[in-house]
Amino acid sequence: MRILTGLLLMVTALSVANAQSTNEHRAQVVHTLEECQQAAEKNYPLIQRMDLIRHTTDLTVQNIQKGWLPQVSASAQATYQSDVTAFPDQIQSMYQQIGIRMQGLKKDQYRVGIDVQQTVFDGGAMKNQKEVARWQGRVEEAQNEVNMYPIRKQVNEMYFSLLLLDDQIQLNRDLQQLLEGNEKKLASMFKGGTAAESDYLNVRAERLNVMQQLNSLQSQRQTVARVLSVFCGLEVQDVTKPVPSDAVSLQQGGLRPELKAMEAQLRLTDAQEKTLNSTLLPRLGIFAQGFYGYPGYNMFEDMMHRGWSLNGMIGARLSWNIGAFYSRKNDKAKLQLARQTVENSREVFLFHRNMEQIQQSENIERYRKLMADDEEIIKLRSQIRKAAESKLRHGIIDVNDLLREINAENAARVQQSMHEIEMLKEIYELKYTTNHE
């Protein structure tokens, strides 16, 4: 029994180990901002609409192309007429005298037939319709890209929030370490009778307060990391701080999806204008008609025998709808107004984008200047804090003065971290504005 229990435990342990190994193999971890952006775009449900748009466009084009196939229609009818074609009584009398009985057509008539039509020349209508359908699909794809583009900005917000929280957590731990060192010194001084117990307790309370802040920061980080992981569809653990030198050339960048969508709309109006022109041209087609019924094409035979017969006809048909000329001027004016609307939208977009570029470039330069002074401020604050520690040991200042200098140094370090993260964020905001990879 013990051996069986041991084997079951071993099998269970191996199964758990294999499951954990499989889960670890399946779990993909992303670290860099670019990896998060790519993962988020692939994970976002809107990406599936791209395939739907392409499939819909393909089906539409295929349906238009089938306009070149013979168009076959079947029909059946039965009618009763108030009057029919008939010979005058005098002529019927003449026929009767020579032995021919002309009964005339029956008032009830029947027909079951098939009509086949084949387009030979359509003035380029179907070709232009296919082009319009393709550009309509491209407009929808471009608009879908426009809707997906803000994903990058949302990822940027969460990613740099993580970076800032990581820096604050590290600075918090450094501050705890510094306070712990001073706490130990004051504990030793208290035992030696050179410091009051309240001084030791004051530093200890400050360290515990900083520890509470750490718990809050870690909770915030966990929340942001979890949201970003869900957004990307992959696990986001440690994030990597981008290198500023890898930033962006302020004047270079790719074409924004909004501009691509506007360009597609302009090309769509061009295709629609070609379709408008094709409506002015005549159509040429051939046809074949056949039916089985009564009466047929041979009226004289049907007047005599009144029997059902097979009938057929083939021919060519040329048609020209001149009604397209009536609205052509207004239709072209509407297309021109559509172009002007798109052009105006593009000018507005470029205006606002240039304003954003200027503002973001200025912000980047401002943060660079601030960061140039941050290092010197931290250096000075560190020296002041060390001097305060020395003064406290010699009884020149009290512990509140030391804590004030410690917090001032920590505030300078936090400010430096914020300036760096904000500058990186502005750089990637500029990348977003210029569509720079």
Side-chain angles (χ1 to χ4, degrees):
M1 187 68 182
R2 292 180 179 178
I3 296 176
L4 180 60
T5 304
L7 288 175
L8 290 173
L9 290 174
M10 290 177 62
V11 171
T12 303
L14 288 174
S15 299
V16 173
N18 288 333
Q20 290 177 347
S21 176
T22 302
N23 292 334
E24 290 175 359
H25 178 72
R26 290 179 180 175
Q28 300 182 33
V29 181
V30 292
H31 299 286
T32 67
L33 177 56
E34 288 74 14
E35 289 175 346
C36 288
Q37 290 174 346
Q38 294 171 7
E41 289 177 356
K42 293 178 181 178
N43 183 60
Y44 200 65
L46 201 59
I47 191 67
Q48 300 174 3
R49 190 176 296 176
M50 298 298 287
D51 288 335
L52 298 177
I53 293 172
R54 294 190 185 101
H55 290 327
T56 303
T57 301
D58 291 340
L59 292 174
T60 303
V61 172
Q62 290 174 17
N63 286 341
I64 295 173
Q65 181 65 29
K66 289 178 180 179
W68 287 109
L69 297 176
Q71 306 300 308
V72 182
S73 61
S75 63
Q77 70 177 35
T79 61
Y80 184 85
Q81 300 177 198
S82 62
D83 204 356
V84 293
T85 304
F87 286 104
D89 294 338
Q90 296 85 350
I91 296 179
Q92 288 190 21
S93 297
M94 290 176 55
Y95 279 127
Q96 288 176 2
Q97 291 175 4
I98 62 176
I100 299 175
R101 184 184 178 188
M102 189 65 66
Q103 302 180 63
L105 295 178
K106 296 169 62 177
K107 292 185 178 181
D108 54 320
Q109 300 181 2
Y110 308 92
R111 174 177 295 195
V112 178
I114 294 178
D115 187 358
V116 180
Q117 300 189 36
Q118 173 65 58
T119 300
V120 176
F121 175 74
D122 68 346
M126 281 186 279
K127 176 184 176 182
N128 293 328
Q129 287 172 8
K130 289 191 293 184
E131 193 67 14
V132 168
R134 291 191 183 99
W135 278 111
Q136 285 175 337
R138 292 175 188 174
V139 168
E140 291 183 22
E141 289 180 13
Q143 187 58 48
N144 200 55
E145 291 181 5
V146 171
N147 295 335
M148 288 186 58
Y149 192 65
I151 293 174
R152 288 177 55 180
K153 190 169 186 178
Q154 296 177 40
V155 172
N156 289 349
E157 292 286 343
M158 290 183 281
Y159 194 90
F160 285 108
S161 294
L162 274 182
L163 287 175
L164 182 59
L165 287 168
D166 282 345
D167 279 3
Q168 291 182 349
I169 288 172
Q170 184 58 48
L171 290 173
N172 183 284
R173 287 171 176 161
D174 293 341
L175 179 58
Q176 286 188 51
Q177 187 176 2
L178 181 60
L179 290 171
E180 186 178 7
N182 281 279
E183 182 183 338
K184 291 179 180 179
K185 292 177 183 178
L186 285 169
S188 177
M189 293 172 63
F190 169 64
K191 290 180 181 179
T194 58
E197 183 180 11
S198 59
D199 293 339
Y200 160 74
L201 295 177
N202 197 353
V203 175
R204 180 176 176 81
E206 184 67 20
R207 183 172 65 83
L208 293 176
N209 182 49
V210 174
M211 289 177 63
Q212 285 185 336
Q213 295 174 11
L214 176 62
N215 294 332
S216 177
L217 291 172
Q218 289 175 333
S219 177
Q220 292 178 44
R221 190 199 186 283
Q222 182 179 2
T223 301
V224 176
R226 185 177 300 173
V227 173
L228 183 57
S229 297
V230 173
F231 201 75
C232 295
L234 298 173
E235 186 177 357
V236 180
Q237 295 179 347
D238 299 330
V239 290
T240 304
K241 186 179 295 184
V243 181
S245 59
D246 294 340
V248 57
S249 173
L250 303 186
Q251 302 300 326
Q252 300 297 326
L255 194 63
R256 281 280 293 264
E258 293 89 343
L259 295 175
K260 292 180 182 179
M262 294 174 193
E263 184 64 25
Q265 289 174 346
L266 290 175
R267 300 290 75 80
L268 174 60
T269 57
D270 293 340
Q272 289 171 334
E273 185 171 5
K274 291 180 181 178
T275 301
L276 185 63
N277 294 334
S278 66
T279 60
L280 303 176
L281 299 177
R283 268 66 169 164
L284 176 63
I286 57 177
F287 65 91
Q289 296 176 346
F291 72 91
Y292 179 67
Y294 172 86
Y297 292 145
N298 191 339
M299 290 288 186
F300 291 103
E301 184 70 20
D302 293 330
M303 287 180 180
M304 294 174 62
H305 301 291
R306 294 185 174 180
W308 287 41
S309 60
L310 288 172
N311 301 270
M313 177 190 301
I314 61 172
R317 181 182 293 115
L318 180 68
S319 61
W320 193 0
N321 181 14
I322 62 173
F325 286 97
Y326 302 156
S327 59
R328 174 176 171 79
K329 182 177 179 181
N330 289 341
D331 290 338
K332 292 198 70 172
K334 287 169 62 178
L335 290 176
Q336 185 60 30
L337 289 173
R339 288 193 186 95
Q340 292 175 356
T341 301
V342 176
E343 292 287 353
N344 179 258
S345 298
R346 180 160 58 183
E347 291 177 4
V348 172
F349 175 79
L350 291 174
F351 177 83
H352 287 291
R353 191 189 68 169
N354 291 336
M355 295 293 291
E356 289 179 1
Q357 283 183 255
I358 294 173
Q359 183 177 0
Q360 289 161 354
S361 299
E362 291 296 327
N363 287 338
I364 292 171
E365 187 60 27
R366 176 169 62 87
Y367 283 122
R368 290 188 190 279
K369 292 178 180 178
L370 291 173
M371 289 177 62
D373 297 330
D374 283 336
E375 195 65 37
E376 181 65 21
I377 293 173
I378 292 174
K379 181 179 179 181
L380 294 174
R381 285 296 179 186
S382 179
Q383 292 176 352
I384 294 172
R385 185 260 306 165
K386 291 177 181 178
E389 290 175 339
S390 176
K391 291 179 180 179
L392 180 65
R393 288 195 299 269
H394 293 84
I396 301 176
I397 61 174
D398 59 18
V399 73
N400 291 323
D401 295 328
L402 174 62
L403 290 176
R404 184 175 61 251
E405 299 303 335
I406 290 176
N407 289 328
E409 180 187 0
N410 181 68
R413 296 183 184 277
V414 170
Q415 189 176 49
Q416 182 192 41
S417 173
M418 292 180 62
H419 288 163
E420 181 183 10
I421 300 300
E422 288 295 331
M423 186 190 72
L424 290 174
K425 184 180 176 182
E426 284 293 336
I427 288 175
Y428 276 85
E429 286 292 326
L430 183 56
K431 280 190 174 187
Y432 174 84
T433 302
T434 58
N435 194 22
H436 195 287
E437 297 295 335

